[in-house]
Amino acid sequence: MADRPDAARRADLQLDQPSGTRSFAQFLRFNPDAIGHYAELIARFLGTGRYLAIQTIIVIVWIIINVAWVALRFDPYPFILLNLAFSTQAAYAAPLILLAQNRQADRDKVQAEEDRARAAQTRADTEYLARELASLRVAIGELATRDFIRGELDRLVPPDDEAAARRKKERKRRREQQAREAAAD
């Protein structure tokens, strides 16, 4: 079993055929997602107060060393080396920040498409439920309600006692109350 990987590797190495030429572009193959990830990390660090504080301290120390200590002076007054360092930093920071913004824009676009799809599905579900609710209301509206049946029975059988008269008054009061509640809604 342990011989199989070695045998497979040896089978891949065909010594009787010349190896292909490698171009310079093959050496420069990078994973764009990995580069973008690191670009975002750098861009996030460059946008923090911590970075600004560190950079300010470095610049102050740089200037103090080059102005106060004659023996350690490695970048005299116009601070050309410091300007070169800032220019190099800006030359690298700007494309990294743009790359991070492009990746964020791509993520925002995907998120917006997902939100649109979710909203469309929610709208379709809401419309379906509204249609179902409307059909239930129509179906219930066609059914005979308890009050309707009692009213029809009372109409067919005239009330001959006080209890029937009280029930009729109570039903009338309930209908009026329901009408007031319906009007309030």
Side-chain angles (χ1 to χ4, degrees):
M1 291 271 187
D3 295 333
R4 292 191 117 200
D6 292 332
R9 259 189 254 142
R10 274 188 243 131
D12 290 339
L13 296 174
Q14 297 178 355
L15 298 176
D16 59 341
Q17 296 178 2
S19 63
T21 59
R22 291 188 177 180
S23 67
F24 185 68
Q26 288 177 330
F27 287 114
L28 294 178
R29 284 192 205 157
F30 296 113
N31 183 357
D33 290 330
I35 292 172
H37 175 71
Y38 289 118
E40 286 179 346
L41 290 176
I42 292 169
R44 284 193 182 117
F45 177 69
L46 291 177
T48 62
R50 173 198 259 173
Y51 171 75
L52 292 174
I54 291 170
Q55 185 177 15
T56 303
I57 291 169
I58 289 172
V59 168
I60 291 170
V61 169
W62 185 291
I63 291 173
I64 289 172
I65 289 173
N66 285 294
V67 169
W69 290 333
V70 176
L72 294 176
R73 192 175 293 171
F74 56 90
D75 189 19
Y77 167 64
F79 306 120
I80 295 171
L81 190 57
L82 182 62
N83 286 329
L84 179 64
F86 281 144
S87 298
T88 304
Q89 174 198 359
Y92 280 100
L96 289 174
I97 291 169
L98 290 174
L99 180 62
Q101 287 176 344
N102 289 341
R103 283 175 50 93
Q104 184 63 43
D106 291 343
R107 280 195 299 269
D108 291 344
K109 183 190 286 185
V110 169
Q111 184 67 38
E113 289 172 3
E114 289 175 357
D115 289 346
R116 270 197 255 12
R118 191 175 306 120
Q121 182 63 40
T122 303
R123 182 177 179 187
D125 291 345
T126 304
E127 288 174 356
Y128 171 76
L129 290 173
R131 286 192 302 272
E132 288 295 315
L133 185 60
S135 68
L136 285 174
R137 284 182 178 167
V138 168
I140 289 173
E142 293 174 357
L143 295 176
T145 62
R146 181 179 58 190
D147 290 338
F148 174 75
I149 292 173
R150 282 188 184 156
E152 290 297 313
L153 289 175
D154 288 344
R155 194 172 48 91
L156 293 174
V157 179
D160 57 346
D161 60 350
E162 273 184 45
R166 274 184 284 161
R167 283 195 307 263
K168 188 173 182 181
K169 285 181 184 179
E170 180 63 28
R171 282 193 299 271
K172 183 178 179 183
R173 186 189 62 77
R174 262 191 268 140
R175 272 189 248 123
E176 290 172 356
Q177 184 179 4
Q178 288 174 350
R180 283 192 301 263
E181 289 174 358
D185 289 337

